[in-house]
Amino acid sequence: MKKTTSTPLWRNRKVVPIISQIIFVLIVGIVIAFMVRNVISGLEQIGLVLGLDYLNLKASFPIAESIISYTPDDPYTRALLVGLLNTLKVSVFGIILATIIGVIVGVARLSNNWLVSKVATVYVEVFRNTPLLVQIFIWNFAVFLPMPKIQDAISVGPFYFSNRGASIPWFTLQDNTLIWLVILIFLIAGSIILFKKLTKVSIESGKSTYPFISSVGLIVIGTIIIYIILGNGPLGFSVPVFNGNSFEGGTSLSIGFMSVLAALTIYTSTYISEIVRAGIMGVPKGQTEAAKALGFKSHTALRLIIFPQAIRIIIPPLTSQYLNLIKNSSLAMAVAYQDIVGIGNTIINQTGHTLETLLIVISVYLLFSLTTSLLMNIFNKKFQLVER
């Protein structure tokens, strides 16, 4: 009878990878434990205890620009919340503006018009190859700070620009804003349901039921009826008025915010434009030729046939650019815009709690990045081809 010899553990192809991973995890755990122990020991030597109790202390420093109410008497938690919202504000507006400009420039680079194409190319090559921090400094020190004093502010309609920043018209909340919000949510949900039902009926019967017009009409008619009942809209509108020393009404944008927003928007839009251009060029040429054969004009074919297909190519790299914009907003402290990094740095200087504050800042950017990735992945799935 032939004896079967068992394979030693160190040569077993199933066991060796498991053992290797366990050893790797143990080594990483030991290194982390060693580092944490050193950090705690170092903090104890300078009289600091690792913890978050310091966040309840009074901040004692002003913040020039804040979406929510804030005073120096508020705790550090309130100051960090202000910084988080400031980072969110510049990131959201930056993403929206960079996307709009990027799409326009990307399409312009493919234009048959020689001048339009070359201007778009120069725009991309110049701003894409200039460091972002340099662009922030240029906007701050060469464009916005040299503007005239507030008494001689440049006015463009209801918009005013001076070396203190910009004052622009803005929306204000009404007493019934919350009621409006609830009603609008129901109207939008109803219009989506109506659109799907009418589309289904149109497909089954072969007759046009005008689903888009009907769903939009439901929102418009519902909004008009609610406006008549409530007597006013969901939001008011405030226009800035100069009172001799400052502007009252509207909203104010600081020099730091405008510098960071302009630089982030332009810098990121150059990369988005190249993504858009590559996405459009990635659509098979047969689609363009088929559209022309059917009599579509170039802009109509791009809007209805080419661009919807290019979206599938554009979204994944576009997500990376959104994440880069959010992380690049941390350069705002270079021009004294008080985002989460700038406020975190002030807290570190006042309290000495470097590790805890940096972990909070890292967590904020991690939260923003994961949320952006989640939303873009959901959006991406809507445009993916469903294989049968």
Side-chain angles (χ1 to χ4, degrees):
M1 190 172 180
K2 190 176 179 180
K3 284 187 176 181
T4 56
T5 56
S6 59
T7 306
L9 289 178
W10 60 86
R11 293 176 57 189
N12 192 313
R13 293 184 178 179
K14 293 182 179 179
V15 176
V16 170
I18 297 173
I19 295 175
S20 301
Q21 292 178 45
I22 292 173
I23 294 173
F24 177 77
V25 171
L26 288 174
I27 292 173
V28 172
I30 292 170
V31 171
I32 292 174
F34 176 76
M35 293 173 65
V36 170
R37 183 180 176 183
N38 280 353
V39 168
I40 294 173
S41 175
L43 290 174
E44 289 176 350
Q45 289 178 10
I46 61 176
L48 290 175
V49 179
L50 198 65
L52 299 176
D53 294 338
Y54 74 98
L55 292 177
N56 296 320
L57 300 176
K58 187 164 65 173
S60 302
F61 63 88
I63 298 177
E65 193 167 353
S66 173
I67 296 177
I68 59 176
S69 60
Y70 170 83
T71 65
D73 293 328
D74 289 325
Y76 286 123
T77 49
R78 185 79 173 181
L80 286 170
L81 178 60
V82 171
L84 182 151
L85 293 175
N86 283 347
T87 298
L88 185 63
K89 179 172 73 171
V90 74
S91 299
V92 170
F93 283 108
I95 286 173
I96 294 171
L97 294 175
T99 303
I100 294 172
I101 297 173
V103 170
I104 293 172
V105 175
V107 173
R109 287 205 65 184
L110 297 172
S111 173
N112 293 325
N113 186 302
W114 182 88
L115 180 61
V116 171
S117 176
K118 293 304 176 185
V119 168
T121 301
V122 171
Y123 171 88
V124 170
E125 295 302 328
V126 170
F127 290 107
R128 188 177 60 169
N129 294 299
T130 306
L132 176 58
L133 187 58
V134 173
Q135 293 189 38
I136 293 175
F137 284 150
I138 291 172
W139 282 104
N140 188 75
F141 297 110
V143 177
F144 293 127
L145 282 179
M147 282 187 176
K149 295 180 180 180
I150 193 167
Q151 291 81 4
D152 304 316
I154 300 171
S155 63
V156 182
F159 298 85
Y160 297 88
F161 300 92
S162 69
N163 59 3
R164 292 191 191 178
S167 295
I168 63 174
W170 199 247
F171 299 100
T172 57
L173 297 178
Q174 305 274 29
D175 294 335
N176 54 10
T177 298
L178 184 60
I179 298 173
W180 266 104
L181 180 61
V182 174
I183 293 172
L184 288 174
I185 290 172
F186 278 106
L187 284 175
I188 292 170
S191 68
I192 293 172
I193 294 171
L194 179 64
F195 179 84
K196 290 183 176 179
K197 285 188 175 180
L198 292 179
T199 302
K200 184 179 179 181
V201 171
S202 178
I203 293 171
E204 292 176 349
S205 64
K207 297 179 181 179
S208 179
T209 55
Y210 305 102
F212 180 77
I213 296 175
S214 301
S215 57
V216 172
L218 174 63
I219 296 177
V220 172
I221 294 172
T223 302
I224 293 172
I225 293 172
I226 300 303
Y227 181 85
I228 293 172
I229 294 173
L230 296 179
N232 57 13
L235 296 171
F237 195 69
S238 176
V239 178
V241 178
F242 186 62
N243 62 6
N245 254 343
S246 61
F247 286 95
E248 295 180 352
T251 189
S252 297
L253 305 177
S254 68
I255 293 293
F257 172 78
M258 292 194 299
S259 302
V260 175
L261 180 63
L264 283 175
T265 298
I266 292 174
Y267 182 77
T268 308
S269 69
T270 59
Y271 288 91
I272 292 177
S273 69
E274 291 298 274
I275 291 170
V276 170
R277 184 170 72 96
I280 294 173
M281 293 177 67
V283 177
K285 290 185 178 179
Q287 298 292 315
T288 305
E289 293 169 355
K292 289 181 178 178
L294 291 171
F296 283 93
K297 294 181 179 179
S298 297
H299 61 85
T300 306
L302 177 66
R303 180 170 56 89
L304 298 178
I305 299 172
I306 308 302
F307 200 77
Q309 295 181 67
I311 285 287
R312 301 187 184 101
I313 305 171
I314 292 171
I315 292 176
L318 183 64
T319 303
S320 298
Q321 291 306 316
Y322 287 169
L323 298 179
N324 287 338
L325 186 147
I326 293 171
K327 289 179 283 188
N328 286 337
S329 68
S330 60
L331 295 173
M333 65 181 296
V335 288
Y337 177 66
Q338 292 171 297
D339 66 337
I340 188 68
V341 175
I343 291 174
N345 188 53
T346 304
I347 293 173
I348 289 171
N349 292 334
Q350 287 187 351
T351 64
H353 287 273
T354 305
L355 180 62
E356 300 96 315
T357 307
L358 286 179
L359 287 175
I360 291 172
V361 173
I362 290 170
S363 300
V364 168
Y365 281 105
L366 181 63
L367 174 64
F368 286 168
S369 296
L370 292 178
T371 303
T372 303
S373 298
L374 175 63
L375 294 176
M376 291 302 291
N377 286 336
I378 293 172
F379 186 61
N380 189 31
K381 285 183 179 178
K382 297 292 183 182
F383 284 90
Q384 284 180 345
L385 287 173
V386 180
E387 297 184 1
R388 300 182 183 275

